[in-house]
Amino acid sequence: MQPIVLASSSPYRQALLRRLGLDFVAAAPNIDETPLANEAPEALARRLASGKARALNDRHSNALIIGSDQVAWADGERLGKPGTFANALAQLQRSRGKTVTFYTGLCLYDSATGNEQLAVELYQASFRDLTDTQLRNYLIREQPYDCAGSFKCEGLGITLFESLAGDDPNTLIGLPLIRLTSMLRKAGIDPLANAT
């Protein structure tokens, strides 16, 4: 079986992939994630997922490499990782009472053959109309400054939402496991092939 490589240093993506019970290694792809001029969010997510997987080709020349990237989009604007409390608060203030669409690009790249499976999964989060105090309290408690959209839905961030819509809740965290499982099976790897 070809080794599996996750092209990500994200602890959130690594934790999600561990749920499939497969052995893998993680490596940072170190690519430029700057959007192109007038690049649509879906195109950006697709390009970056593929770019991250292919960036590890030289280091892992006979592997199945998983690349993933997420673009949060609201009112024609990209919501990145805030980095600071002030940026996170501003993002959440802009998002309250609105629906944010998350475009998560997913690539499974076979570095031995050059074959690539590529998809973009959508997930929508409708935010509650919360007060500044509630938003500040959330940020102080969870500190999601390394998360696109300024929240962790797998934690207290779930309280920020009125509703969530999409095919796979893992998409919102950053790695669509349902689609990834289909891609892995197509590449000859079934997480349910063994009982141990």
Side-chain angles (χ1 to χ4, degrees):
M1 183 172 87
Q2 283 177 288
I4 297 171
V5 179
L6 177 63
S8 177
S9 57
S10 165
Y12 311 112
R13 287 193 178 101
Q14 291 173 35
L16 284 172
L17 186 53
R18 278 190 209 98
R19 291 173 56 189
L20 297 185
L22 300 170
D23 291 329
F24 70 94
V25 297
N30 299 321
I31 67 166
D32 182 358
E33 298 185 30
T34 306
L36 302 176
N38 301 313
E39 189 171 25
E42 186 170 349
L44 175 61
R46 179 179 286 111
R47 178 176 63 82
L48 292 179
S50 176
K52 286 180 177 182
R54 290 174 177 272
L56 299 182
N57 187 63
D58 291 343
R59 287 185 272 166
H60 302 277
S61 58
N62 181 29
L64 291 173
I65 305 173
I66 301 164
S68 186
D69 194 83
Q70 186 177 75
V71 178
W73 198 261
D75 289 339
E77 181 182 345
R78 181 181 180 207
L79 304 177
K81 296 176 183 177
T84 67
F85 176 91
N87 290 342
L89 181 60
Q91 274 194 0
L92 292 178
Q93 287 170 332
R94 285 195 308 271
S95 298
R96 66 178 155 204
K98 296 179 182 170
T99 297
V100 177
T101 302
F102 291 82
Y103 298 83
T104 303
L106 178 64
C107 177
L108 183 63
Y109 175 65
D110 186 333
S111 60
T113 65
N115 289 338
E116 176 182 76
Q117 297 180 59
L118 192 57
V120 176
E121 295 286 311
L122 270 61
Y123 211 85
Q124 292 189 314
S126 297
F127 282 76
R128 296 178 189 277
D129 192 6
L130 300 173
T131 67
D132 285 351
T133 298
Q134 289 171 309
L135 297 177
R136 284 189 189 96
N137 289 343
Y138 167 70
L139 293 172
I140 289 166
R141 288 176 65 181
E142 195 144 73
Q143 302 179 18
Y145 308 131
D146 62 344
C147 301
S150 303
F151 66 84
K152 296 178 187 177
C153 68
E154 65 275 28
L156 187 61
I158 198 70
T159 63
L160 302 175
F161 308 125
E162 195 70 51
S163 65
L164 298 171
D167 293 334
D168 181 350
N170 301 296
T171 301
L172 193 54
I173 304 171
L175 190 64
L177 293 181
I178 293 174
R179 178 62 68 97
L180 178 59
T181 298
S182 298
M183 290 179 171
L184 288 167
R185 285 188 176 135
K186 190 173 177 183
I189 295 177
D190 182 357
L192 298 177
N194 297 309
T196 58

